[in-house]
Amino acid sequence: MCSHSDEDYLSRIGKLVRAARTHKGWTQTQLAAALGTTQSAVARIESGGQNIGLDLVARIGEALDSEIVSLGVAGPMNLRVVGGRRLSGSIEVRTSKNACVALLAGSLLTTGRTTLRRAARIEEVYRLLEVLASIGVRHRWINDGLDLEITPPAELDLSGIDEEAARRTRSILMFLGPLLHRADRFEIPYAGGCDLGTRTVQPHLSALRQFGLHVNATTGSYRASVDRGVSPQRPIVLTERGDTVTENVLLAAARHPGTTVIRNASANYMVQDLCFFLELLGVRVEGIGTTTLTVHGKAVIDADVDYAPSEDPVEAMSLLTAAVVTDSELTIRRVPIEFIEIELAVLDEMGLECERGPEYPAANGRTRLTDLTVRPSKLVAPIDKIHPMPFPGINIDNLPFFAAIAACAHGSTLVHDWVYENRSVYLTELGRVGASVQLMDPHRVLVEGPTRWRAAEMMCPPALRPAMVLLLAMLAAEGTSILRNVYVINRGYEDLAARLNSVGAQIEVFRDI
């Protein structure tokens, strides 16, 4: 790997960046906007006067569609973790990934400008922005890359949709709700594995059918047509209390000129964020935080909206787990307490020492935040199995973290992931770093603790939360571990290595060349 301090290397990279930018016809300001940085920073890069890592080289290559610039980044991103270090200090929870992707879909409801404050800068968001750009929606990062501004065109170009980007995110499914009001016929790609009729897709199609949306699955895409004569005649009862299906129906109901009642709705954090956003667009939503939502829609929405998504409770659980497995005292700031209270109650029963600060409002004025200080604790296995439930139960995405925590506790813990097929299988990878994890069936693992963690080199699992759990276990393991191909982690976490390093971790990002 070339040294970042090698001036000749920096100069050559700078010339490649300048040539690729010029070829694309972009100014330095345009490239800076795409990267979420400043024009002066781009100028320094192009003159060879700024250190530039391979990850940024890859991002520049993606922005400029330049194989030349990305040539030096042949391999995927990997992490080298020197474990066995105590963490200390404080770390802040970033805004919610799942809220941000729903709000990007929500930006299609209005012909006005949408500004999202402290939007999550993660791969999942980047992919959706690529899809939005391909259908004519402009976006730019403003305020030194902190905030995201989205401006739709008068007419969307749905024929130009970026199929490759769309297939890399399951969140594309949430475009069905808003797009059914923008076109009588349209086609969107779907991500591999999202087959028509599976548990994750069918509830969406059943609910949206009541707005006149009909979908046929072709090879690799959904072909949608809309019957404008059809509208909900009775409350829409969701067959599962899913987050994304609730959001999709909310998005459809927002532009339906009338009253839509949604029953068995999710009351989870990202759904509440979307409801708060809709209210700023002038759409009245009753029952926020309950399982019955009543939406008073508007046929036309032409409003500029400025909204701050709330903090991510799953990231909060991730950081809490980092403290537990490394036996550290760590303060986690800006925790959305309402959405992690059941997890904390279970951890309290297991013996976790955790102090809560006073509550204060999030930037949206609605979500309750607090600061948590986790201290080294002697944990014991819970008497009952640990399993997720729709909010206000243990969050489905937080369940995998209990496998790592259980590995630190004395006794046997049964972790039951009844929602996802085979996700529990990935948790057995903890055995590679020293944990005793027995797979009982595709949905259940038995974890025996305590664990003497050990360093390992391995590929990242293809599931986001189990991948993160492995990384956290590596933080606890004495020695040097390597986790290869961590794209899936970048889908859900922003600047993770640097942020963990700021509280005492030692994680190096590298690529194989």
Side-chain angles (χ1 to χ4, degrees), residues 35-345:
L35 297 174
T37 187
T38 61
Q39 180 271 330
S40 59
V42 171
R44 288 195 300 272
I45 290 170
E46 293 189 355
S47 67
Q50 176 155 324
N51 285 338
I52 177 170
L54 292 175
D55 182 46
L56 181 55
V57 173
R59 283 180 54 207
I60 292 171
E62 289 177 5
L64 296 175
D65 301 318
S66 170
E67 290 300 320
I68 296 174
V69 173
S70 61
L71 195 63
V73 193
M77 182 189 294
N78 311 309
L79 297 177
R80 182 180 290 111
V81 183
V82 178
R85 297 165 61 91
R86 293 280 181 95
L87 308 181
S88 63
S90 67
I91 187 168
E92 190 171 282
V93 178
R94 296 284 176 90
T95 53
S96 159
K97 155 194 175 289
N98 288 325
C100 283
V101 297
L103 297 173
L104 289 179
S107 72
L108 292 170
L109 294 172
T110 178
T111 53
R113 183 176 62 250
T114 296
T115 303
L116 300 179
R117 301 296 175 183
R118 296 176 68 239
R121 297 192 63 126
I122 54 173
E123 293 297 331
E124 190 92 347
V125 167
Y126 293 150
R127 297 296 81 77
L128 286 180
L129 288 175
E130 289 167 1
V131 174
L132 288 171
S134 71
I135 60 176
V137 179
R138 298 197 314 276
H139 74 271
R140 62 185 183 127
W141 294 93
I142 58 175
N143 299 328
D144 291 327
L146 284 177
D147 305 327
L148 178 62
E149 186 181 271
I150 304 160
T151 307
E155 295 291 332
L156 296 174
D157 177 18
L158 296 177
S159 64
I161 194 164
D162 185 335
E163 293 190 14
E164 183 179 350
R167 293 190 201 288
R168 296 180 74 180
T169 167
R170 293 179 186 273
S171 303
I172 190 67
L173 194 66
M174 280 193 288
F175 280 27
L176 289 172
L179 287 182
L180 71 86
H181 297 292
R182 302 291 297 260
D184 291 335
R185 295 182 180 276
F186 60 93
E187 187 171 332
I188 63 172
Y190 59 82
C194 282
D195 295 324
L196 195 67
T198 61
R199 184 197 65 81
T200 54
V201 175
Q202 192 56 46
H204 294 252
L205 305 186
S206 298
L208 295 177
R209 200 173 294 127
Q210 298 187 52
F211 294 94
L213 181 74
H214 295 276
V215 175
N216 289 320
T218 62
T219 303
S221 65
Y222 297 118
R223 283 189 178 166
S225 60
V226 185
D227 182 348
R228 300 292 173 200
V230 175
S231 63
Q233 300 300 306
R234 59 182 184 277
I236 297 174
V237 180
L238 303 182
T239 54
E240 66 169 33
R241 199 182 303 166
D243 301 326
T244 55
V245 65
T246 301
E247 291 168 321
N248 228 342
V249 178
L250 277 167
L251 291 163
R255 288 279 300 267
H256 171 63
T259 301
T260 304
V261 177
I262 310 167
R263 294 202 173 131
N264 196 31
S266 166
N268 211 355
Y269 63 96
M270 69 292 280
V271 174
Q272 293 195 27
D273 258 313
L274 180 57
C275 289
F276 301 151
F277 175 83
L278 294 179
E279 288 185 323
L280 292 179
L281 287 177
V283 176
R284 189 156 58 94
V285 184
E286 300 172 54
I288 298 173
T290 75
T291 57
T292 299
L293 296 173
T294 303
V295 184
H296 303 274
K298 299 172 63 177
V300 176
I301 300 177
D302 182 19
D304 292 341
V305 59
D306 189 316
Y307 183 70
S310 64
E311 280 69 14
D312 191 336
V314 183
E315 180 171 293
M317 185 70 185
S318 308
L319 299 174
L320 183 153
T321 304
V324 171
V325 300
T326 59
D327 203 29
S328 302
E329 179 168 326
L330 184 68
T331 297
I332 302 148
R333 296 167 48 220
R334 304 187 67 82
V335 175
I337 190 64
E338 180 182 358
F339 302 102
I340 200 171
E341 282 183 316
I342 305 297
E343 287 86 336
L344 289 175

Side-chain angles (χ1 to χ4, degrees), residues 320 344 348 351-356 371-375 377:
L320 183 153
L344 289 175
D348 182 61
L352 181 69
E353 293 186 32
C354 183
E355 180 183 329
R356 300 189 198 189
D371 298 343
L372 298 178
T373 298
V374 181
R375 295 191 173 89
S377 311

Side-chain angles (χ1 to χ4, degrees), residues 402-436:
F402 277 100
I405 293 171
C408 299
H410 288 263
S412 301
T413 303
L414 185 65
V415 180
H416 183 191
D417 188 345
W418 57 268
V419 179
Y420 290 110
E421 297 290 342
N422 295 318
R423 187 171 72 170
S424 289
V425 175
Y426 297 128
L427 295 177
T428 62
E429 294 283 277
L430 284 169
R432 301 271 299 277
V433 285
S436 173

Side-chain angles (χ1 to χ4, degrees), residues 367-421:
T367 305
R368 294 184 289 115
L369 304 180
T370 190
D371 298 343
L372 298 178
T373 298
V374 181
R375 295 191 173 89
S377 311
K378 293 189 182 300
L379 301 180
V380 295
I383 297 172
D384 296 324
K385 70 177 181 179
I386 297 179
H387 63 95
M389 289 292 286
F391 177 78
I394 289 176
N395 190 300
I396 292 163
D397 284 338
N398 278 341
L399 187 73
F401 298 106
F402 277 100
I405 293 171
C408 299
H410 288 263
S412 301
T413 303
L414 185 65
V415 180
H416 183 191
D417 188 345
W418 57 268
V419 179
Y420 290 110
E421 297 290 342

